[in-house]
């Protein structure tokens, strides 16, 4: 439902940007992100493209938790 809504809005206005915050890779199977940011403790600790979301799905967030106190 969310993905359909976002896609509909984007179809109506292709210049529109959307900020989607999720822990669910399933949503990203329907909406391909341009940019992915990993947040830990309210701070962005890593940025990348769609491949970063795929890495998170495979490996989890543990590798980024060390940045929580940095």
């Amino acid at each position: 439902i969310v993905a359909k809504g976002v896609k509909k809005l984007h179809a109506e206005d292709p210049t529109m940007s959307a900020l989607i915050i999720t822990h669910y890779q399933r949503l990203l199977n329907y909406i391909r992100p341009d940019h992915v940011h990993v947040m830990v403790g309210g701070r962005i600790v890593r940025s990348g493209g769609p491949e970063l979301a795929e890495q998170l799905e495979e490996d989890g967030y543990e590798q980024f938790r060390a940045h929580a106190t940095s």
Side-chain angles (χ1 to χ4, degrees):
I1 293 171
V2 172
K4 285 181 183 178
V6 171
K7 286 181 175 185
K8 182 180 180 204
L9 287 171
H10 188 263
E12 291 172 2
D13 182 0
T15 64
M16 180 199 80
S17 295
L19 174 64
I20 300 171
I21 300 171
T22 184
H23 289 97
Y24 299 106
Q25 173 63 32
R26 285 176 300 194
L27 182 59
L28 301 181
N29 291 335
Y30 300 100
I31 301 173
R32 183 99 171 137
D34 295 321
H35 306 282
V36 174
H37 304 286
V38 179
M39 294 185 74
V40 177
R43 300 180 74 179
I44 295 175
V45 297
R46 177 111 181 256
S47 295
E51 68 283 349
L52 180 55
E54 295 165 4
Q55 178 188 353
L56 284 168
E57 180 67 12
E58 289 181 25
D59 302 333
Y61 285 86
E62 194 60 37
Q63 61 189 315
F64 301 104
R65 293 192 200 283
H67 297 283
T69 58
S70 302

